[in-house]
Amino acid sequence: MPQKILTKKLRRGNYTSSTTVVFLLLLVLLAGCNKRFSDIFDRSGNRLSVDDVEFEYLSAKAKIDFKAKNNSLSGTANIRIQKDSIIWVSLSPGLGIEAARILITSDSVAILNKIDKIYLAYDFKALSQKFDFDINYTLVESVIIGNLIYPYDRERVVRASSVYSYRQQHGNFMFDHAIGARTMKLEKVEVRDTLTNNTILVNYGDFQLVEEEVFPFLITAVLKYKDKEKGETTVDIQYKQTDIEKKPLKFPFNVPQRYERK
């Protein structure tokens, strides 16, 4: 496909806006189950026992489908993570052409739109205002690897079939968790902004073993607005490969001088 046609196709879908939402909305990508499958309660204190995914460096490749009221986008994402530090993403809509690169650190998010030669940078305060949700690095990474955003702390647990559920409130946000009795990991989480009544629902499935960790290779996230005029935003992620790396990864991110800065 000629470059001019590819560029026209990407711009028609509002690629800059789409890539921002794809990664930050979810803020969804890898998710995990723990090392073993057994009872969800520990035997000593009868407390909920949910294990987080353990790693220092992680890499993955996934197919992403994004749909919103006025935008849509499909492509491949290459992802690298240094736990508690850096998230790096390279997005390609097809033909092996990199269209965008994203770098998330503890205090900011930077995006290179390689199609339109644009560089965008946000701090988390600005992003929180943009998406009407309190976004921070810990939130993003937790959702990406499938760990609990906030640790379980004596909340009332309800058993329903093969799932244990409980609710937490932090600030303006209400979290409803569904923990698999077999997987002992987060299989569903709904986050509701009690001020706006906007919600994000994330489902994890197709759990597969990666070394000693189990990851879901299918993830669906839906952002629902109280204002029905805004419609819904959906992100579907299908993982093709996930690796826990033994050696440090590189996170290349250089902004060419000719790029327009916004």
Side-chain angles (χ1 to χ4, degrees):
M1 182 183 298
Q3 181 65 31
K4 289 184 179 179
I5 297 177
L6 175 64
T7 301
K8 182 178 180 181
K9 181 179 179 181
L10 290 170
R11 285 175 175 168
R12 188 184 304 128
N14 192 350
Y15 192 83
T16 301
S17 175
S18 298
T19 52
T20 304
V21 176
V22 163
F23 202 77
L24 297 173
L25 161 70
L26 295 273
L27 310 158
V28 154
L29 279 133
L30 273 199
C33 187
N34 80 322
K35 306 179 182 72
R36 59 192 183 280
F37 297 94
S38 60
D39 193 354
I40 197 166
F41 288 96
D42 66 32
R43 296 180 179 179
S44 59
N46 198 35
R47 288 175 53 83
L48 187 66
S49 178
V50 181
D51 292 338
D52 285 341
V53 175
E54 298 295 338
F55 69 94
E56 185 172 0
Y57 293 95
L58 184 144
S59 64
K61 178 177 287 187
K63 181 178 181 292
I64 294 179
D65 291 307
F66 166 81
K67 294 180 181 180
K69 184 177 181 179
N70 298 315
N71 298 308
S72 63
L73 172 70
S74 294
T76 298
N78 288 295
I79 305 149
R80 300 176 186 176
I81 303 175
Q82 180 179 354
K83 198 170 188 299
D84 301 326
S85 180
I86 300 171
I87 301 169
W88 179 95
V89 180
S90 173
L91 293 173
S92 301
L95 302 178
I97 298 173
E98 184 183 39
R101 189 171 293 188
I102 302 167
L103 185 70
I104 302 180
T105 63
S106 60
D107 58 4
S108 63
V109 175
I111 301 172
L112 284 179
N113 176 347
K114 292 194 169 186
I115 300 300
D116 296 320
K117 303 296 187 292
I118 295 173
Y119 167 67
L120 303 97
Y122 306 89
D123 60 24
F124 281 111
K125 181 178 180 180
L127 283 172
S128 297
Q129 294 173 346
K130 181 180 180 67
F131 290 100
D132 238 356
F133 274 85
D134 184 13
I135 301 172
N136 55 59
Y137 181 89
T138 300
L139 172 69
V140 175
E141 185 182 275
S142 295
V143 174
I144 285 176
I145 63 178
N147 287 345
L148 295 177
I149 298 170
Y150 294 101
Y152 170 78
D153 184 26
R154 300 180 183 277
E155 285 82 7
R156 179 173 178 267
V157 178
V158 178
R159 173 73 184 260
S161 184
S162 61
V163 175
Y164 295 86
S165 60
Y166 69 94
R167 172 173 290 185
Q168 288 177 317
Q169 181 159 3
H170 292 270
N172 300 324
F173 299 91
M174 185 69 71
F175 296 79
D176 284 297
H177 306 83
I179 310 298
R182 186 179 69 89
T183 63
M184 295 202 311
K185 278 301 297 185
L186 185 66
E187 294 185 354
K188 180 191 295 184
V189 59
E190 182 176 56
V191 185
R192 180 171 62 90
D193 184 336
T194 58
L195 295 180
T196 65
N197 276 327
N198 297 334
T199 63
I200 293 178
L201 176 63
V202 185
N203 287 279
Y204 304 96
D206 189 17
F207 293 94
Q208 299 183 30
L209 185 67
V210 180
E211 295 189 10
E212 294 185 354
E213 308 291 333
V214 180
F215 289 83
F217 275 52
L218 288 177
I219 301 173
T220 299
V222 181
L223 173 60
K224 297 182 179 181
Y225 295 96
K226 180 182 178 181
D227 183 356
K228 301 302 182 182
E229 294 293 325
K230 295 183 178 180
E232 293 184 355
T233 298
T234 303
V235 180
D236 292 314
I237 300 170
Q238 181 177 5
Y239 279 91
K240 304 299 184 181
Q241 181 179 342
T242 302
D243 296 295
I244 296 174
E245 305 290 351
K246 304 300 183 183
K247 297 181 180 180
L249 297 174
K250 295 182 179 180
F251 306 91
F253 195 90
N254 298 312
V255 183
Q257 291 185 350
R258 67 182 182 277
Y259 274 44
E260 180 183 0
R261 286 161 168 77
K262 292 189 175 181

